[in-house]
């Protein structure tokens, strides 16, 4: 009996739900009309707005404050432009490739677990009457609401990468690299982790990792590990900034970073709680888990830094907040509040240790610690989801749609499923990113000139100053 996780973002339009042949002698029973709750729809659309708010202006300000003043506008422009490009690509083909696929085992091909098709390219057939099923059998939301919610996810995942190569890459190189990564890494990972037939067709083909039972409530593998690994590869190939480990490359405005980080925290409630697709008790659980895990990570990083360096810094505190948000993302709807606190504490400490102790020895200039926070935090959170989702530790277990109840939970097996998801996400993103960055390097080059880098990208690339 196949057991599937209760989570897996889907785009199962009503027309995709299989129709069953009826016995000629049996009375014809009219199918019940799908339930579309306006509260669910409103919450999902508001969650999409919150995730967009995370990127614009949240991530832009968070990153902008961390770079030097002469590169402030370059980071803002990269985030703004990437968001805009990915939004267009998402409705053109990204959504279709990520959230469509074979409706039955007979229609499945070798590629079905890895990528969808183009049946909904340019949102063909996705009108105002199209529906997507939630995680409750027969309960639907407008498919367009699901499209824009997932669009916001794709945009922020792509924008995360720019923090690793800030202050030294050509604007065109950043854009081209992210577009290639989006097409060949983000879309397939979203399909592998989140695509399935929905509660009404739970035994239909699904994405590779969803079929293996990997739990990812809101994007630990799809977004954070995926983008974090891409950022690390890009930073490694691009090389360090001029003066790295020789000159002071300190953040120019930690006030902006705090404001941006707090916007990310608030927006993350839409990110995690919105991923339930409904407004119910599980949504509330995801919200409180997002709050307490993040608070725990702030304290873990701050007090850990206080012990290691003799002072708790604001930069450490807000970095801890992001680490906690990342860590709880895959677990938000599967663990209890106490499990969320444990994940936040562990994610905060591990990310702090990596950034302070491991990164300097690696010699890779990940400018704004994208891998150290998103990559490492995503790995920690994904694996710990398998631990704290256990009902014996206050978690919700794994829902079995074939029986309509939570199935027997095997922690060791689930941790292996989580680890498998982590390994595949790391390898997939690393290979795609390595190829992509070398394509960009061969076509247009990666770095600005040394003189332009020393003068700052605001003036040399965009012809503006952040401060006059």
């Amino acid at each position: 009996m196949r057991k599937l996780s209760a989570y897996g973002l889907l785009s199962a339009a009503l027309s995709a739900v299989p129709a069953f042949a009826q016995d000629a002698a049996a009375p014809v029973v009219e199918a019940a009309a799908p339930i579309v709750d306006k509260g669910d729809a409103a919450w999902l659309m508001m969650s999409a707005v919150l995730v967009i708010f995370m990127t614009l202006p949240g991530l832009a300000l968070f990153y902008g404050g961390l770079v030097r003043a002469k590169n402030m506008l370059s980071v803002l422009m990269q985030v703004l432009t990437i968001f805009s490009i990915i939004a267009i690509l998402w409705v053109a083909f990204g959504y279709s490739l990520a959230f469509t696929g074979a409706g039955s085992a007979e229609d499945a091909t070798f590629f079905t677990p890895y990528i969808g098709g183009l049946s909904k390219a340019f949102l063909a057939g996705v009108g105002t009457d199209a529906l997507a099923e939630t995680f409750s059998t027969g309960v639907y939301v407008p498919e367009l609401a699901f499209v824009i919610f997932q669009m916001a996810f794709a945009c922020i995942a792509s924008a995360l990468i720019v923090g690793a190569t800030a202050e030294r890459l050509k604007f065109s190189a950043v854009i081209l690299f992210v577009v290639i990564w989006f097409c060949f890494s983000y879309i397939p990972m979203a399909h592998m982790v989140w695509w399935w037939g929905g509660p009404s067709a739970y035994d239909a083909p699904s994405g590779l990792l969803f079929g293996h039972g990997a739990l990812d409530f809101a994007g630990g593998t799809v977004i954070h590990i995926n983008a974090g690994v891409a950022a690390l590869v890009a930073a490694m190939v691009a090389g360090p900034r001029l003066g790295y480990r020789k000159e002071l490359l300190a953040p120019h405005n930690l006030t902006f970073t705090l404001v941006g980080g707090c916007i990310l925290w608030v927006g993350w409630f839409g990110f995690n709680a919105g991923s339930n697709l409904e407004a119910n008790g599980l949504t509330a659980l995801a919200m409180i888990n997002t709050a307490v895990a993040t608070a725990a990570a702030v304290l873990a990083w701050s007090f850990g830094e206080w012990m290691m360096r003799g002072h708790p810094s604001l930069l450490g505190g807000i970095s801890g907040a992001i680490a906690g948000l990342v860590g709880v993302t895959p677990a938000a709807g599967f663990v209890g509040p106490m499990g969320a606190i444990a994940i936040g504490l562990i994610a905060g400490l591990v990310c702090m240790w990596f950034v302070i102790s491991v990164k300097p020895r690696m010699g890779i200039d990940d400018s704004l610690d994208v891998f150290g926070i998103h990559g490492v935090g995503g790995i920690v959170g994904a694996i710990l989801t398998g631990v704290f989702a256990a009902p014996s530790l206050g978690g919700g277990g794994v829902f079995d749609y074939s029986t309509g109840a939570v199935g027997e939970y095997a922690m060791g097996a689930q941790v292996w499923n989580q680890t498998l998801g982590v390994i595949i996400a790391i390898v997939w993103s690393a290979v795609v990113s390595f190829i992509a960055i070398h394509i960009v390097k061969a076509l247009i080059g990666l770095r600005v000139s040394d003189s332009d880098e020393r003068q700052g990208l605001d003036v040399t690339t965009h012809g503006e100053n952040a401060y006059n």
Side-chain angles (χ1 to χ4, degrees):
M1 183 181 299
R2 190 169 97 172
K3 296 180 179 179
L4 299 177
S5 69
Y7 187 75
L9 294 179
L10 65 130
S11 175
L14 183 58
S15 59
V17 178
F20 297 94
Q22 299 202 20
D23 191 305
V28 176
V29 179
E30 185 177 350
I35 301 171
V36 180
D37 187 278
K38 290 184 178 180
D40 293 339
W43 168 244
L44 185 58
M45 289 185 282
M46 181 54 65
S47 295
V49 171
L50 286 170
V51 179
I52 292 171
F53 189 54
M54 289 171 65
T55 311
L56 303 172
L59 183 67
L61 285 175
F62 181 79
Y63 278 173
L66 289 173
V67 297
R68 289 167 289 179
K70 62 184 179 181
N71 295 309
M72 170 74 167
L73 295 182
S74 70
V75 172
L76 300 184
M77 187 60 179
Q78 287 174 22
V79 172
L80 175 64
T81 304
I82 287 172
F83 181 95
S84 302
I85 291 173
I86 299 303
I88 301 300
L89 296 182
W90 184 251
V91 298
F93 58 82
Y95 174 71
S96 185
L97 289 172
F99 291 104
T100 65
S104 66
E106 292 75 19
D107 298 329
T109 68
F110 171 81
F111 297 103
T112 297
Y114 304 95
I115 196 70
L118 294 173
S119 60
K120 294 185 180 181
F122 301 100
L123 300 187
V126 186
T128 56
D129 58 344
L131 302 177
E133 193 173 21
T134 68
F135 305 105
S136 301
T137 304
V139 179
Y140 295 82
V141 292
E143 189 172 4
L144 285 172
F146 181 75
V147 171
I148 193 169
F149 181 69
Q150 281 297 321
M151 182 196 79
F153 273 51
C155 290
I156 193 169
S158 303
L160 285 174
I161 298 172
V162 307
T165 56
E167 302 193 300
R168 60 196 186 274
L169 255 61
K170 295 178 180 177
F171 182 67
S172 56
V174 172
I175 301 304
L176 181 56
F177 172 72
V178 170
V179 167
I180 297 173
W181 174 85
F182 166 75
C183 293
F184 294 99
S185 189
Y186 182 84
I187 293 174
M189 282 302 304
H191 183 85
M192 285 190 280
V193 174
W194 286 333
W195 177 71
W196 66 309
S200 295
Y202 62 86
D203 55 351
S206 62
L208 178 70
L209 291 175
F210 188 90
H212 278 289
L215 306 177
D216 190 352
F217 195 80
T221 50
V222 179
I223 295 174
H224 299 293
I225 297 175
N226 201 1
V229 171
L232 182 66
V233 171
M236 177 182 67
V237 176
R241 290 166 288 179
L242 296 177
Y244 178 64
R245 303 181 74 172
K246 297 176 183 178
E247 303 173 7
L248 181 64
L249 305 176
H252 89 281
N253 195 321
L254 286 178
T255 302
F256 283 164
T257 297
L258 176 67
V259 171
C262 291
I263 290 174
L264 285 167
W265 190 343
V266 172
W268 223 291
F269 290 113
F271 195 96
N272 284 353
S275 291
N276 188 44
L277 305 184
E278 301 177 43
N280 55 27
L282 185 59
T283 307
L285 175 66
M287 289 191 75
I288 195 167
N289 284 344
T290 302
V292 297
T294 309
V298 170
L299 298 176
W301 191 308
S302 298
F303 282 91
E305 187 180 36
W306 200 349
M307 294 177 63
M308 291 182 66
R309 291 182 161 179
H311 59 267
S313 68
L314 175 64
L315 177 57
I318 197 61
S319 297
I322 306 304
L325 289 164
V326 170
V328 78
T329 289
F334 295 121
V335 305
M338 301 306 107
I341 291 173
I343 290 174
L345 288 170
I346 296 169
L349 288 173
V350 172
C351 289
M352 179 210 66
W353 167 75
F354 185 91
V355 169
I356 292 177
S357 299
V358 178
K359 177 190 170 182
R361 294 197 292 268
M362 293 176 64
I364 299 175
D365 183 15
D366 176 0
S367 305
L368 309 183
D369 294 317
V370 181
F371 179 76
I373 294 177
H374 293 274
V376 174
I379 292 169
V380 170
I383 294 174
L384 290 181
T385 297
V387 175
F388 291 103
S392 61
L393 296 178
V398 177
F399 192 82
D400 186 348
Y401 281 94
S402 66
T403 63
V406 175
E408 183 178 351
Y409 194 84
M411 185 185 295
Q414 191 59 53
V415 169
W416 163 243
N417 289 338
Q418 300 304 110
T419 305
L420 178 65
V422 167
I423 293 170
I424 291 178
I426 291 172
V427 173
W428 193 288
S429 185
V431 171
V432 170
S433 301
F434 188 79
I435 295 172
I437 198 71
H438 280 90
I439 290 174
V440 175
K441 185 177 182 179
L443 291 177
I444 59 178
L446 297 177
R447 303 283 295 251
V448 299
S449 67
D450 289 0
S451 61
D452 284 356
E453 184 174 342
R454 292 199 179 280
Q455 189 176 352
L457 304 187
D458 288 2
V459 171
T460 59
T461 299
H462 304 290
E464 299 174 294
N465 286 305
Y467 308 101
N468 293 304

